[in-house]
Amino acid sequence: MGKSGTKEDNHLQALTQKLKDNYHIFEKLFIFFILAQPFLDLLSYFSIPVSNPIRLLVIPIGALYMLSYPDRRWSRNTFIYMLVLAVYFAINFGVNMIWKDPVSAAGELTFILKTFFFITALLVYVMIFRHIGENREWKAIVPKYLFINTSVVSVVMLIAELTGTGKRSYDYLEKQGHSGWFFSGNEISAILGMGFCGAIIYYLFIKKGLLAQIICTALIAVMIWAMLTIGTKVAFGAALLVLGMAFLLLLIQAIIKRNNFIQAGVVLVLLAVTVFVSPEMPIGNNLGLSVDMANEKAAQQQEQAEAPPLPEEEGGEVPPPGSVRQWSSWQLMALNGREEFFGTVLYYFERAPVIQKVFGMGIGGNYTGGEPRIIEMDILDWFFGFGYLGTLILVLPLLFVIGSILVFIFKQRFRTVSATALFSGVGACIGLGAAFIAGHILSSPASGFYLALFLGFLYGLVKQKPEKFFQ
C-alpha cells in the first residue's frame, strides 16, 4: 500500500512538472485563440454547433494553465478561486433545481458555464500578459489580431448587406439595422465597439508600408460603416469616441513632432463623414425612435395619477409586473425596452426564499411558464441569477484586475499610459459599459472574450516599465 501510494505521488509530481515545463504552449494557444473568434461566430450562425464546445474548453485548459503557471503564488490563488467558484455554481444549480418550478436544467447549466467562461478567460489573459510582459512582440500581435477580427466581422456584414441576407438587429419592425451573419445585434455591436479600439491601435501606431496603410484605411472605413449599420448605441458611441480620441492624439503628435499631419487629416475626414452620414443610417433612425418611444411611455404613465397596484398571484401564476410599474423618461431610455423584464425579475426576487436571495434564482428568475427571459443588462442578470453571495464571488476578479490597473497607473504617475494602453483602456470601458446598459457581455462567450482580453492586455501594458507615449 505504501509503495503504491509512493508511485501515485511520483506520477502526480511528474505530471505537475510536465505541466510547468510546458506552460508556454498554453500561452501560445490562448494568443492564437484570439484569431478564431469571428470564425466560431460564423459557424454558430450557420448551425454548425462547435463554437460553444470549443469556447468552453477554455475552462479546463485554463485551469491546467493556472496549475502550470511559473509564479507559484498566482498559480495557487487562482486555482483555489476556481475551485471555490465551481463549488458555488454547483450549489446554485442544486438550489434552483429544487426551488424553481418550472426549471430547465439545460438552461441553468448553460447560464452557469457561459459565466464561468468569462471569469476563466479574464484570469487566464491577465496571467498571460503579466508573464510575457518582457516580450515586446505581443504589444503588436494583439492589436494586429484585433484588426483582423474586426475586419472579418465588418466585411462579412458588408457581404450580407450586398446579398440582402443580413439578420435583423431588432424584432421591433420600426427599428432598422442588421448584424450580418451573426446572431445577436447587441453582441456583435459590443464586439465591434471593443475590436475597433484594438484596430485603431494597429492602424495608427504599428508601422506599415504605404500599400498596407491604404488597405487598412479602407478596412477602417468598412468597420465604421458596419458600426453604424447595426443600429445599436454601443457601436455608434464607440465609433465616435475612438475616432475623436484618435484625431486629438494625432493632432497633438503632429504639433509636437511635426509629423503625421496626413494621418490626422484622414482620421478627421473619417470622423466628419461618420457624423454627417449617421442621421441617414440605421443608428440615426433608431436613436430618434428610442427617444420618441421613451417620451411616449413616460407621457402615458404621467396620465395615470396613481400607478395601479401590482396584481396578486392567482393559482400560482406570477403576472409580469414590469408592465404596470412607473418609470421616468430617463429610466426608460436607460432600460431601452427592458423595463418589463427588469420589473418582472425584481418582483420574483422580492418574493424569493432567502436561500435564493443568497445563492441566486438562476436564469430568468422564478418564471412561471414559457421560456426564461433575462433582462439583458449583465450586472443585473448576475445579481438576480447568482444572488448576493454569487455576485460577490464573481466580481472579486474584476475588482482585483481593475483595482490593480488603477494602482499601477497612479503608482507610476501615468508614465506607463501609452497610446496603446489608452485605447486598450477605452476598449475595456466600452465592454464594461455595455455590460451595465446593454448586456450580452459577462454571460456571453463571444463578446465576453474580448472584454477579458482587453482587461488582461491593459493589465500587462500598465505593469511594464515607463515608455514613450506614442511608442
Side-chain angles (χ1 to χ4, degrees), residues 355-399:
I355 193 169
Q356 279 192 301
K357 289 181 179 178
V358 174
F359 291 102
M361 300 186 296
I363 186 170
N366 295 329
Y367 58 94
T368 56
E371 294 293 324
R373 293 296 301 270
I374 59 175
I375 301 168
E376 296 184 6
M377 298 176 81
D378 288 330
I379 296 299
L380 293 176
D381 284 320
W382 265 16
F383 176 72
F384 292 125
F386 298 116
Y388 292 111
L389 180 60
T391 304
L392 176 62
I393 295 172
L394 287 168
V395 300
L396 281 177
L398 275 169
L399 293 177

mmCIF file of all heavy atoms in Angstrom, residues 355-399:
data_model
loop_
_atom_site.group_PDB
_atom_site.id
_atom_site.type_symbol
_atom_site.label_atom_id
_atom_site.label_comp_id
_atom_site.label_asym_id
_atom_site.label_seq_id
_atom_site.Cartn_x
_atom_site.Cartn_y
_atom_site.Cartn_z
ATOM 1 N N ILE A 355 -32.859 31.552 0.679
ATOM 2 C CA ILE A 355 -31.777 30.768 0.087
ATOM 3 C C ILE A 355 -31.541 31.165 -1.368
ATOM 4 O O ILE A 355 -30.397 31.179 -1.845
ATOM 5 C CB ILE A 355 -32.074 29.248 0.209
ATOM 6 C CG1 ILE A 355 -30.791 28.462 -0.117
ATOM 7 C CG2 ILE A 355 -33.237 28.828 -0.701
ATOM 8 C CD1 ILE A 355 -30.884 26.994 0.236
ATOM 9 N N GLN A 356 -32.602 31.552 -2.081
ATOM 10 C CA GLN A 356 -32.427 32.003 -3.464
ATOM 11 C C GLN A 356 -31.885 33.425 -3.518
ATOM 12 O O GLN A 356 -31.187 33.784 -4.465
ATOM 13 C CB GLN A 356 -33.743 31.921 -4.224
ATOM 14 C CG GLN A 356 -34.069 30.527 -4.736
ATOM 15 C CD GLN A 356 -35.217 30.541 -5.723
ATOM 16 O OE1 GLN A 356 -36.327 30.975 -5.393
ATOM 17 N NE2 GLN A 356 -34.971 30.071 -6.921
ATOM 18 N N LYS A 357 -32.197 34.240 -2.520
ATOM 19 C CA LYS A 357 -31.611 35.578 -2.490
ATOM 20 C C LYS A 357 -30.107 35.504 -2.239
ATOM 21 O O LYS A 357 -29.340 36.327 -2.744
ATOM 22 C CB LYS A 357 -32.294 36.424 -1.411
ATOM 23 C CG LYS A 357 -33.722 36.811 -1.761
ATOM 24 C CD LYS A 357 -34.371 37.657 -0.691
ATOM 25 C CE LYS A 357 -35.794 38.041 -1.098
ATOM 26 N NZ LYS A 357 -36.486 38.830 -0.059
ATOM 27 N N VAL A 358 -29.687 34.516 -1.480
ATOM 28 C CA VAL A 358 -28.255 34.347 -1.196
ATOM 29 C C VAL A 358 -27.540 33.677 -2.362
ATOM 30 O O VAL A 358 -26.487 34.137 -2.806
ATOM 31 C CB VAL A 358 -28.048 33.524 0.093
ATOM 32 C CG1 VAL A 358 -26.560 33.228 0.308
ATOM 33 C CG2 VAL A 358 -28.621 34.263 1.294
ATOM 34 N N PHE A 359 -28.102 32.585 -2.885
ATOM 35 C CA PHE A 359 -27.439 31.792 -3.916
ATOM 36 C C PHE A 359 -27.953 32.055 -5.334
ATOM 37 O O PHE A 359 -27.416 31.517 -6.295
ATOM 38 C CB PHE A 359 -27.558 30.299 -3.610
ATOM 39 C CG PHE A 359 -26.769 29.875 -2.405
ATOM 40 C CD1 PHE A 359 -27.408 29.663 -1.200
ATOM 41 C CD2 PHE A 359 -25.398 29.711 -2.466
ATOM 42 C CE1 PHE A 359 -26.679 29.273 -0.076
ATOM 43 C CE2 PHE A 359 -24.666 29.322 -1.359
ATOM 44 C CZ PHE A 359 -25.305 29.104 -0.157
ATOM 45 N N GLY A 360 -28.990 32.892 -5.470
ATOM 46 C CA GLY A 360 -29.455 33.250 -6.796
ATOM 47 C C GLY A 360 -30.663 32.470 -7.252
ATOM 48 O O GLY A 360 -30.927 31.361 -6.786
ATOM 49 N N MET A 361 -31.395 33.068 -8.199
ATOM 50 C CA MET A 361 -32.606 32.442 -8.756
ATOM 51 C C MET A 361 -32.337 31.778 -10.105
ATOM 52 O O MET A 361 -33.267 31.300 -10.751
ATOM 53 C CB MET A 361 -33.712 33.480 -8.937
ATOM 54 C CG MET A 361 -34.149 34.189 -7.672
ATOM 55 S SD MET A 361 -35.585 35.263 -7.958
ATOM 56 C CE MET A 361 -34.872 36.468 -9.090
ATOM 57 N N GLY A 362 -31.081 31.782 -10.569
ATOM 58 C CA GLY A 362 -30.789 31.191 -11.863
ATOM 59 C C GLY A 362 -31.260 32.061 -13.009
ATOM 60 O O GLY A 362 -31.667 33.207 -12.826
ATOM 61 N N ILE A 363 -31.239 31.523 -14.189
ATOM 62 C CA ILE A 363 -31.587 32.293 -15.381
ATOM 63 C C ILE A 363 -33.075 32.655 -15.389
ATOM 64 O O ILE A 363 -33.941 31.810 -15.171
ATOM 65 C CB ILE A 363 -31.215 31.504 -16.658
ATOM 66 C CG1 ILE A 363 -31.452 32.364 -17.893
ATOM 67 C CG2 ILE A 363 -31.959 30.190 -16.745
ATOM 68 C CD1 ILE A 363 -30.882 31.760 -19.159
ATOM 69 N N GLY A 364 -33.380 33.943 -15.591
ATOM 70 C CA GLY A 364 -34.763 34.393 -15.728
ATOM 71 C C GLY A 364 -35.555 34.463 -14.447
ATOM 72 O O GLY A 364 -36.748 34.797 -14.476
ATOM 73 N N GLY A 365 -34.941 34.147 -13.279
ATOM 74 C CA GLY A 365 -35.687 34.180 -12.030
ATOM 75 C C GLY A 365 -36.695 33.053 -11.935
ATOM 76 O O GLY A 365 -36.642 32.074 -12.687
ATOM 77 N N ASN A 366 -37.655 33.179 -11.028
ATOM 78 C CA ASN A 366 -38.666 32.139 -10.821
ATOM 79 C C ASN A 366 -39.837 32.325 -11.790
ATOM 80 O O ASN A 366 -40.974 32.563 -11.386
ATOM 81 C CB ASN A 366 -39.162 32.184 -9.374
ATOM 82 C CG ASN A 366 -38.062 31.836 -8.390
ATOM 83 O OD1 ASN A 366 -37.173 31.049 -8.698
ATOM 84 N ND2 ASN A 366 -38.099 32.428 -7.211
ATOM 85 N N TYR A 367 -39.544 32.232 -13.060
ATOM 86 C CA TYR A 367 -40.538 32.465 -14.098
ATOM 87 C C TYR A 367 -41.642 31.405 -14.033
ATOM 88 O O TYR A 367 -41.432 30.293 -13.548
ATOM 89 C CB TYR A 367 -39.887 32.471 -15.475
ATOM 90 C CG TYR A 367 -39.144 31.199 -15.827
ATOM 91 C CD1 TYR A 367 -39.758 30.170 -16.539
ATOM 92 C CD2 TYR A 367 -37.809 31.032 -15.457
ATOM 93 C CE1 TYR A 367 -39.080 29.017 -16.860
ATOM 94 C CE2 TYR A 367 -37.116 29.879 -15.778
ATOM 95 C CZ TYR A 367 -37.752 28.874 -16.468
ATOM 96 O OH TYR A 367 -37.072 27.729 -16.776
ATOM 97 N N THR A 368 -42.804 31.768 -14.537
ATOM 98 C CA THR A 368 -43.961 30.856 -14.472
ATOM 99 C C THR A 368 -44.430 30.535 -15.883
ATOM 100 O O THR A 368 -45.149 31.304 -16.498
ATOM 101 C CB THR A 368 -45.115 31.503 -13.690
ATOM 102 O OG1 THR A 368 -45.434 32.755 -14.296
ATOM 103 C CG2 THR A 368 -44.754 31.720 -12.244
ATOM 104 N N GLY A 369 -43.999 29.415 -16.398
ATOM 105 C CA GLY A 369 -44.404 29.009 -17.734
ATOM 106 C C GLY A 369 -43.595 29.682 -18.818
ATOM 107 O O GLY A 369 -42.973 30.724 -18.611
ATOM 108 N N GLY A 370 -43.590 29.089 -20.002
ATOM 109 C CA GLY A 370 -42.852 29.672 -21.117
ATOM 110 C C GLY A 370 -41.343 29.547 -20.918
ATOM 111 O O GLY A 370 -40.852 28.786 -20.093
ATOM 112 N N GLU A 371 -40.612 30.345 -21.682
ATOM 113 C CA GLU A 371 -39.160 30.328 -21.615
ATOM 114 C C GLU A 371 -38.655 31.422 -20.685
ATOM 115 O O GLU A 371 -39.248 32.496 -20.602
ATOM 116 C CB GLU A 371 -38.573 30.546 -23.020
ATOM 117 C CG GLU A 371 -38.864 29.426 -23.999
ATOM 118 C CD GLU A 371 -38.159 28.135 -23.623
ATOM 119 O OE1 GLU A 371 -37.014 28.198 -23.117
ATOM 120 O OE2 GLU A 371 -38.766 27.065 -23.811
ATOM 121 N N PRO A 372 -37.551 31.189 -19.965
ATOM 122 C CA PRO A 372 -36.984 32.240 -19.110
ATOM 123 C C PRO A 372 -36.455 33.394 -19.954
ATOM 124 O O PRO A 372 -35.896 33.179 -21.020
ATOM 125 C CB PRO A 372 -35.843 31.527 -18.381
ATOM 126 C CG PRO A 372 -35.470 30.382 -19.267
ATOM 127 C CD PRO A 372 -36.749 29.963 -19.923
ATOM 128 N N ARG A 373 -36.652 34.618 -19.486
ATOM 129 C CA ARG A 373 -36.158 35.798 -20.186
ATOM 130 C C ARG A 373 -35.217 36.560 -19.266
ATOM 131 O O ARG A 373 -35.564 36.857 -18.127
ATOM 132 C CB ARG A 373 -37.321 36.716 -20.603
ATOM 133 C CG ARG A 373 -38.243 36.118 -21.657
ATOM 134 C CD ARG A 373 -37.539 35.867 -22.974
ATOM 135 N NE ARG A 373 -36.988 37.081 -23.541
ATOM 136 C CZ ARG A 373 -37.645 37.886 -24.376
ATOM 137 N NH1 ARG A 373 -38.890 37.602 -24.721
ATOM 138 N NH2 ARG A 373 -37.063 38.960 -24.873
ATOM 139 N N ILE A 374 -34.032 36.861 -19.760
ATOM 140 C CA ILE A 374 -33.100 37.650 -18.970
ATOM 141 C C ILE A 374 -33.319 39.133 -19.263
ATOM 142 O O ILE A 374 -33.940 39.494 -20.260
ATOM 143 C CB ILE A 374 -31.637 37.271 -19.277
ATOM 144 C CG1 ILE A 374 -31.316 37.475 -20.763
ATOM 145 C CG2 ILE A 374 -31.353 35.845 -18.849
ATOM 146 C CD1 ILE A 374 -29.868 37.227 -21.115
ATOM 147 N N ILE A 375 -32.820 39.991 -18.380
ATOM 148 C CA ILE A 375 -33.011 41.432 -18.542
ATOM 149 C C ILE A 375 -32.140 41.963 -19.674
ATOM 150 O O ILE A 375 -32.455 42.953 -20.308
ATOM 151 C CB ILE A 375 -32.669 42.163 -17.215
ATOM 152 C CG1 ILE A 375 -33.557 41.637 -16.095
ATOM 153 C CG2 ILE A 375 -32.860 43.679 -17.356
ATOM 154 C CD1 ILE A 375 -33.102 42.074 -14.715
ATOM 155 N N GLU A 376 -31.024 41.292 -19.944
ATOM 156 C CA GLU A 376 -30.021 41.710 -20.929
ATOM 157 C C GLU A 376 -29.281 42.964 -20.459
ATOM 158 O O GLU A 376 -28.917 43.829 -21.248
ATOM 159 C CB GLU A 376 -30.653 41.919 -22.316
ATOM 160 C CG GLU A 376 -31.214 40.633 -22.911
ATOM 161 C CD GLU A 376 -31.758 40.818 -24.315
ATOM 162 O OE1 GLU A 376 -31.596 41.924 -24.871
ATOM 163 O OE2 GLU A 376 -32.329 39.868 -24.864
ATOM 164 N N MET A 377 -29.106 43.059 -19.142
ATOM 165 C CA MET A 377 -28.185 44.011 -18.530
ATOM 166 C C MET A 377 -27.377 43.158 -17.552
ATOM 167 O O MET A 377 -27.870 42.762 -16.496
ATOM 168 C CB MET A 377 -28.935 45.148 -17.835
ATOM 169 C CG MET A 377 -29.775 45.973 -18.800
ATOM 170 S SD MET A 377 -30.768 47.258 -18.009
ATOM 171 C CE MET A 377 -29.557 48.562 -17.800
ATOM 172 N N ASP A 378 -26.135 42.835 -17.939
ATOM 173 C CA ASP A 378 -25.404 41.738 -17.313
ATOM 174 C C ASP A 378 -25.256 41.841 -15.804
ATOM 175 O O ASP A 378 -25.353 40.841 -15.098
ATOM 176 C CB ASP A 378 -24.009 41.620 -17.945
ATOM 177 C CG ASP A 378 -24.072 41.078 -19.354
ATOM 178 O OD1 ASP A 378 -24.987 40.305 -19.655
ATOM 179 O OD2 ASP A 378 -23.198 41.430 -20.163
ATOM 180 N N ILE A 379 -24.975 43.039 -15.293
ATOM 181 C CA ILE A 379 -24.791 43.173 -13.855
ATOM 182 C C ILE A 379 -26.071 42.797 -13.120
ATOM 183 O O ILE A 379 -26.051 42.110 -12.086
ATOM 184 C CB ILE A 379 -24.365 44.615 -13.494
ATOM 185 C CG1 ILE A 379 -22.988 44.923 -14.117
ATOM 186 C CG2 ILE A 379 -24.305 44.791 -11.986
ATOM 187 C CD1 ILE A 379 -21.857 44.034 -13.654
ATOM 188 N N LEU A 380 -27.217 43.224 -13.654
ATOM 189 C CA LEU A 380 -28.499 42.868 -13.042
ATOM 190 C C LEU A 380 -28.781 41.379 -13.187
ATOM 191 O O LEU A 380 -29.279 40.731 -12.257
ATOM 192 C CB LEU A 380 -29.627 43.688 -13.676
ATOM 193 C CG LEU A 380 -29.604 45.198 -13.405
ATOM 194 C CD1 LEU A 380 -30.723 45.890 -14.174
ATOM 195 C CD2 LEU A 380 -29.739 45.480 -11.912
ATOM 196 N N ASP A 381 -28.467 40.820 -14.348
ATOM 197 C CA ASP A 381 -28.679 39.384 -14.547
ATOM 198 C C ASP A 381 -27.790 38.562 -13.620
ATOM 199 O O ASP A 381 -28.211 37.512 -13.119
ATOM 200 C CB ASP A 381 -28.430 39.011 -16.009
ATOM 201 C CG ASP A 381 -29.575 39.421 -16.923
ATOM 202 O OD1 ASP A 381 -30.738 39.268 -16.501
ATOM 203 O OD2 ASP A 381 -29.314 39.915 -18.028
ATOM 204 N N TRP A 382 -26.560 39.013 -13.401
ATOM 205 C CA TRP A 382 -25.686 38.347 -12.437
ATOM 206 C C TRP A 382 -26.300 38.397 -11.039
ATOM 207 O O TRP A 382 -26.335 37.394 -10.334
ATOM 208 C CB TRP A 382 -24.314 39.032 -12.408
ATOM 209 C CG TRP A 382 -23.300 38.390 -13.297
ATOM 210 C CD1 TRP A 382 -23.517 37.504 -14.304
ATOM 211 C CD2 TRP A 382 -21.880 38.590 -13.236
ATOM 212 N NE1 TRP A 382 -22.325 37.150 -14.897
ATOM 213 C CE2 TRP A 382 -21.315 37.802 -14.263
ATOM 214 C CE3 TRP A 382 -21.051 39.372 -12.448
ATOM 215 C CZ2 TRP A 382 -19.941 37.758 -14.501
ATOM 216 C CZ3 TRP A 382 -19.675 39.340 -12.673
ATOM 217 C CH2 TRP A 382 -19.124 38.528 -13.689
ATOM 218 N N PHE A 383 -26.758 39.586 -10.634
ATOM 219 C CA PHE A 383 -27.268 39.736 -9.275
ATOM 220 C C PHE A 383 -28.497 38.866 -9.035
ATOM 221 O O PHE A 383 -28.564 38.122 -8.051
ATOM 222 C CB PHE A 383 -27.616 41.206 -9.000
ATOM 223 C CG PHE A 383 -28.244 41.426 -7.654
ATOM 224 C CD1 PHE A 383 -27.480 41.323 -6.499
ATOM 225 C CD2 PHE A 383 -29.601 41.690 -7.543
ATOM 226 C CE1 PHE A 383 -28.064 41.501 -5.245
ATOM 227 C CE2 PHE A 383 -30.188 41.878 -6.295
ATOM 228 C CZ PHE A 383 -29.416 41.778 -5.144
ATOM 229 N N PHE A 384 -29.473 38.938 -9.930
ATOM 230 C CA PHE A 384 -30.684 38.145 -9.739
ATOM 231 C C PHE A 384 -30.421 36.656 -9.969
ATOM 232 O O PHE A 384 -31.008 35.811 -9.306
ATOM 233 C CB PHE A 384 -31.791 38.630 -10.673
ATOM 234 C CG PHE A 384 -32.308 40.000 -10.332
ATOM 235 C CD1 PHE A 384 -32.309 41.006 -11.279
ATOM 236 C CD2 PHE A 384 -32.798 40.281 -9.070
ATOM 237 C CE1 PHE A 384 -32.789 42.275 -10.969
ATOM 238 C CE2 PHE A 384 -33.275 41.542 -8.749
ATOM 239 C CZ PHE A 384 -33.268 42.542 -9.700
ATOM 240 N N GLY A 385 -29.548 36.334 -10.923
ATOM 241 C CA GLY A 385 -29.271 34.935 -11.241
ATOM 242 C C GLY A 385 -28.411 34.234 -10.211
ATOM 243 O O GLY A 385 -28.597 33.048 -9.927
ATOM 244 N N PHE A 386 -27.449 34.964 -9.608
ATOM 245 C CA PHE A 386 -26.489 34.330 -8.701
ATOM 246 C C PHE A 386 -26.572 34.832 -7.262
ATOM 247 O O PHE A 386 -25.820 34.354 -6.407
ATOM 248 C CB PHE A 386 -25.070 34.514 -9.249
ATOM 249 C CG PHE A 386 -24.863 33.872 -10.587
ATOM 250 C CD1 PHE A 386 -24.565 34.631 -11.710
ATOM 251 C CD2 PHE A 386 -24.998 32.501 -10.738
ATOM 252 C CE1 PHE A 386 -24.391 34.041 -12.953
ATOM 253 C CE2 PHE A 386 -24.819 31.895 -11.976
ATOM 254 C CZ PHE A 386 -24.520 32.666 -13.092
ATOM 255 N N GLY A 387 -27.451 35.786 -6.980
ATOM 256 C CA GLY A 387 -27.685 36.194 -5.608
ATOM 257 C C GLY A 387 -26.572 37.023 -5.003
ATOM 258 O O GLY A 387 -25.592 37.368 -5.650
ATOM 259 N N TYR A 388 -26.747 37.320 -3.714
ATOM 260 C CA TYR A 388 -25.767 38.157 -3.013
ATOM 261 C C TYR A 388 -24.390 37.492 -2.980
ATOM 262 O O TYR A 388 -23.375 38.117 -3.311
ATOM 263 C CB TYR A 388 -26.230 38.425 -1.569
ATOM 264 C CG TYR A 388 -27.456 39.287 -1.456
ATOM 265 C CD1 TYR A 388 -28.671 38.754 -1.004
ATOM 266 C CD2 TYR A 388 -27.423 40.634 -1.788
ATOM 267 C CE1 TYR A 388 -29.814 39.540 -0.891
ATOM 268 C CE2 TYR A 388 -28.566 41.432 -1.681
ATOM 269 C CZ TYR A 388 -29.749 40.881 -1.235
ATOM 270 O OH TYR A 388 -30.867 41.666 -1.123
ATOM 271 N N LEU A 389 -24.345 36.220 -2.581
ATOM 272 C CA LEU A 389 -23.058 35.532 -2.444
ATOM 273 C C LEU A 389 -22.391 35.334 -3.798
ATOM 274 O O LEU A 389 -21.191 35.595 -3.956
ATOM 275 C CB LEU A 389 -23.265 34.181 -1.753
ATOM 276 C CG LEU A 389 -22.002 33.335 -1.546
ATOM 277 C CD1 LEU A 389 -20.989 34.086 -0.687
ATOM 278 C CD2 LEU A 389 -22.348 31.989 -0.913
ATOM 279 N N GLY A 390 -23.154 34.879 -4.779
ATOM 280 C CA GLY A 390 -22.579 34.624 -6.098
ATOM 281 C C GLY A 390 -22.042 35.879 -6.746
ATOM 282 O O GLY A 390 -20.963 35.872 -7.346
ATOM 283 N N THR A 391 -22.791 36.985 -6.628
ATOM 284 C CA THR A 391 -22.328 38.243 -7.213
ATOM 285 C C THR A 391 -21.026 38.688 -6.576
ATOM 286 O O THR A 391 -20.101 39.146 -7.260
ATOM 287 C CB THR A 391 -23.399 39.337 -7.042
ATOM 288 O OG1 THR A 391 -24.631 38.886 -7.624
ATOM 289 C CG2 THR A 391 -22.972 40.631 -7.716
ATOM 290 N N LEU A 392 -20.926 38.535 -5.245
ATOM 291 C CA LEU A 392 -19.687 38.895 -4.545
ATOM 292 C C LEU A 392 -18.508 38.074 -5.052
ATOM 293 O O LEU A 392 -17.436 38.614 -5.346
ATOM 294 C CB LEU A 392 -19.871 38.686 -3.043
ATOM 295 C CG LEU A 392 -18.633 38.937 -2.174
ATOM 296 C CD1 LEU A 392 -18.174 40.388 -2.282
ATOM 297 C CD2 LEU A 392 -18.905 38.566 -0.720
ATOM 298 N N ILE A 393 -18.709 36.759 -5.185
ATOM 299 C CA ILE A 393 -17.628 35.885 -5.666
ATOM 300 C C ILE A 393 -17.240 36.248 -7.097
ATOM 301 O O ILE A 393 -16.050 36.294 -7.446
ATOM 302 C CB ILE A 393 -18.055 34.405 -5.579
ATOM 303 C CG1 ILE A 393 -18.249 33.994 -4.111
ATOM 304 C CG2 ILE A 393 -17.018 33.505 -6.245
ATOM 305 C CD1 ILE A 393 -18.853 32.607 -3.939
ATOM 306 N N LEU A 394 -18.234 36.511 -7.946
ATOM 307 C CA LEU A 394 -17.973 36.774 -9.357
ATOM 308 C C LEU A 394 -17.267 38.108 -9.596
ATOM 309 O O LEU A 394 -16.451 38.222 -10.517
ATOM 310 C CB LEU A 394 -19.284 36.743 -10.149
ATOM 311 C CG LEU A 394 -19.905 35.355 -10.362
ATOM 312 C CD1 LEU A 394 -21.325 35.483 -10.888
ATOM 313 C CD2 LEU A 394 -19.063 34.523 -11.314
ATOM 314 N N VAL A 395 -17.581 39.128 -8.799
ATOM 315 C CA VAL A 395 -16.976 40.445 -9.051
ATOM 316 C C VAL A 395 -15.568 40.562 -8.467
ATOM 317 O O VAL A 395 -14.846 41.505 -8.809
ATOM 318 C CB VAL A 395 -17.854 41.598 -8.515
ATOM 319 C CG1 VAL A 395 -19.212 41.600 -9.169
ATOM 320 C CG2 VAL A 395 -17.965 41.571 -7.003
ATOM 321 N N LEU A 396 -15.167 39.618 -7.608
ATOM 322 C CA LEU A 396 -13.835 39.714 -6.996
ATOM 323 C C LEU A 396 -12.708 39.808 -8.027
ATOM 324 O O LEU A 396 -11.834 40.682 -7.906
ATOM 325 C CB LEU A 396 -13.600 38.526 -6.053
ATOM 326 C CG LEU A 396 -14.269 38.626 -4.673
ATOM 327 C CD1 LEU A 396 -14.019 37.339 -3.872
ATOM 328 C CD2 LEU A 396 -13.752 39.831 -3.902
ATOM 329 N N PRO A 397 -12.667 38.928 -9.063
ATOM 330 C CA PRO A 397 -11.587 39.059 -10.061
ATOM 331 C C PRO A 397 -11.650 40.385 -10.817
ATOM 332 O O PRO A 397 -10.606 40.986 -11.087
ATOM 333 C CB PRO A 397 -11.825 37.874 -11.012
ATOM 334 C CG PRO A 397 -12.680 36.929 -10.276
ATOM 335 C CD PRO A 397 -13.509 37.755 -9.344
ATOM 336 N N LEU A 398 -12.859 40.841 -11.139
ATOM 337 C CA LEU A 398 -12.998 42.126 -11.832
ATOM 338 C C LEU A 398 -12.478 43.269 -10.972
ATOM 339 O O LEU A 398 -11.727 44.140 -11.446
ATOM 340 C CB LEU A 398 -14.460 42.373 -12.189
ATOM 341 C CG LEU A 398 -14.975 41.751 -13.487
ATOM 342 C CD1 LEU A 398 -16.494 41.860 -13.560
ATOM 343 C CD2 LEU A 398 -14.346 42.413 -14.699
ATOM 344 N N LEU A 399 -12.851 43.270 -9.698
ATOM 345 C CA LEU A 399 -12.392 44.320 -8.789
ATOM 346 C C LEU A 399 -10.875 44.262 -8.620
ATOM 347 O O LEU A 399 -10.201 45.303 -8.584
ATOM 348 C CB LEU A 399 -13.082 44.181 -7.433
ATOM 349 C CG LEU A 399 -14.593 44.456 -7.405
ATOM 350 C CD1 LEU A 399 -15.158 44.204 -6.006
ATOM 351 C CD2 LEU A 399 -14.885 45.889 -7.841
#
